[in-house]
Amino acid sequence: MTIQENTSLKPYNTFGVDVSARFFTEISSTEDLTETLKLTQSSTLLFLGGGSNILFTKDFDGLAVQLNLKGITEEIIDDNEVLVTAKAGENWHQFVLFCLDKNYGGLENLSLIPGNVGTSPMQNIGAYGTEIKDVFESCKVLNLETLEIEIFNLEKCRFGYRDSIFKQEGKGKYVILEVTFKLTRKDHKIDVEYGAIKLELDHLNIINPTIQDVSKAVIHIRQSKLPDPKVIGNAGSFFKNPSIPLTQFEDLKQKFDNIPGYQNGDFVKVPAGWLIEQCGWKGKQIGNVASHRLQALVIINATGNATGKEIVDFSTMIIDSVKEKYGIALEREVNII
């Protein structure tokens, strides 16, 4: 274990924002992590995963810890179910591909989501009708106050839409070490009704899709409209899709008859990308920052030289314009430091 000083964090955030950490270390075992925390009790801590859901607006005056915990294990439950546990530092998409190669079902709709396994429960990542909570069994965490390991089950994680206990009262109190998922071995639930998956499968002339087919369709859809963070800085979807009362949606429908919405009880989820595009932001660039030309929901570091403040200011202008036109308050999905 080596602690470096004044280290650039540009390689550790997918926006490619160039800020520095006063101290920086990479951890590859739970024992090293515990020992590091004992030695640096007075330091402000920041744990880094894949860097895909973080936006730095300034240098970090503390200890940044890159979690490189690796390893995947399996435990067969019965003929149809298996528990698969991945360490926090495993790349999310590579983990999904590992499961698909084993013909384990449940994660295929979450293909190509950027980031690492350890951050997946934090915001209950989701896509195309599936969320982590649907296949989540438990996660092992380190209590940063007691330095004791605890197990969080589904109920204790208190998952919500892009939310969990780790973003609420548990924020800054725990670090996730590994996550266990309950997946299917043969009786897979194929979900192709959300978004453009069915259209993509029809285009490929696939009538009875496998979980591998669903994954390929999702990957193709995402690649066709979302920029690769390795090519241009971004953090994927920058905003949550707002959920508004049904009565408010019905009022908006009177004024904007083409507004899309997905009803869930007394609330309706409205696509944030649609709202942003209708306000004229799709493809728009101001200085170093832009809304992506194919997906308005994605804010990009267009020149590679954007500061975190520029990106935040750009997002604020989007929030203000959507609020003014539709009366809907967008919420940022990205964690701002």
Side-chain angles (χ1 to χ4, degrees), residues 35-260:
E35 190 62 29
T36 298
L37 295 177
K38 289 178 180 178
L39 294 173
T40 57
Q41 290 183 348
S42 61
S43 295
T44 303
L45 297 171
L46 174 65
F47 292 96
L48 301 171
S52 61
N53 193 44
I54 193 168
L55 174 58
F56 290 105
T57 60
K58 57 186 177 181
D59 291 339
F60 182 67
D61 188 25
L63 173 64
V65 180
Q66 175 70 28
L67 290 174
N68 288 331
L69 308 176
K70 297 294 179 69
I72 301 174
T73 58
E74 308 157 60
E75 179 187 344
I76 303 297
I77 300 177
D78 54 35
D79 286 346
N80 188 51
E81 291 185 318
V82 58
L83 295 178
V84 186
T85 300
K87 299 287 187 182
E90 291 288 342
N91 175 271
W92 174 260
H93 181 58
Q94 293 303 313
F95 172 62
V96 173
L97 294 181
F98 171 90
C99 293
L100 289 169
D101 186 59
K102 296 275 190 173
N103 199 39
Y104 297 157
L107 299 176
E108 55 276 1
N109 292 49
L110 304 178
S111 298
L112 210 61
I113 292 179
N116 288 353
V117 170
T119 53
S120 63
M122 291 181 65
Q123 60 176 27
N124 184 25
I125 63 170
Y128 301 103
T130 299
E131 293 179 315
I132 281 296
K133 67 176 179 61
D134 301 326
V135 290
F136 180 88
E137 175 70 15
S138 64
C139 63
K140 183 182 292 186
V141 307
L142 182 68
N143 185 313
L144 296 177
E145 182 178 343
T146 65
L147 296 185
E148 293 181 353
I149 291 178
E150 301 179 21
I151 303 296
F152 278 48
N153 61 15
L154 180 66
E155 182 180 3
K156 194 170 182 179
C157 285
R158 302 224 306 271
F159 290 124
Y161 173 58
R162 302 298 178 269
D163 199 17
S164 71
I165 188 174
F166 304 110
K167 291 184 70 175
Q168 299 300 328
E169 64 266 35
K171 185 175 182 179
K173 296 180 180 179
Y174 306 96
V175 58
I176 297 172
L177 304 175
E178 62 183 40
V179 188
T180 299
F181 304 90
K182 182 184 286 186
L183 306 178
T184 52
R185 299 178 64 200
K186 57 181 183 179
D187 296 333
H188 305 310
K189 178 185 177 183
I190 305 294
D191 186 357
V192 299
E193 300 305 318
Y194 195 95
I197 298 179
K198 193 173 187 305
L199 290 175
E200 182 64 26
L201 291 170
D202 290 342
H203 178 71
L204 296 171
N205 295 316
I206 297 175
I207 300 174
N208 298 307
T210 64
I211 55 175
Q212 290 80 10
D213 292 329
V214 173
S215 174
K216 290 176 183 177
V218 168
I219 290 171
H220 187 268
I221 295 168
R222 294 182 71 92
Q223 287 178 333
S224 69
K225 67 178 183 177
L226 298 175
D228 185 346
K230 296 178 182 177
V231 178
I232 187 164
N234 74 91
S237 300
F238 197 91
F239 300 99
K240 297 180 181 181
N241 289 319
S243 185
I244 63 175
L246 178 59
T247 53
Q248 182 183 359
F249 180 77
E250 290 173 341
D251 289 342
L252 286 169
K253 197 78 173 174
Q254 295 296 317
K255 188 175 181 180
F256 308 100
D257 60 357
N258 64 333
I259 185 172

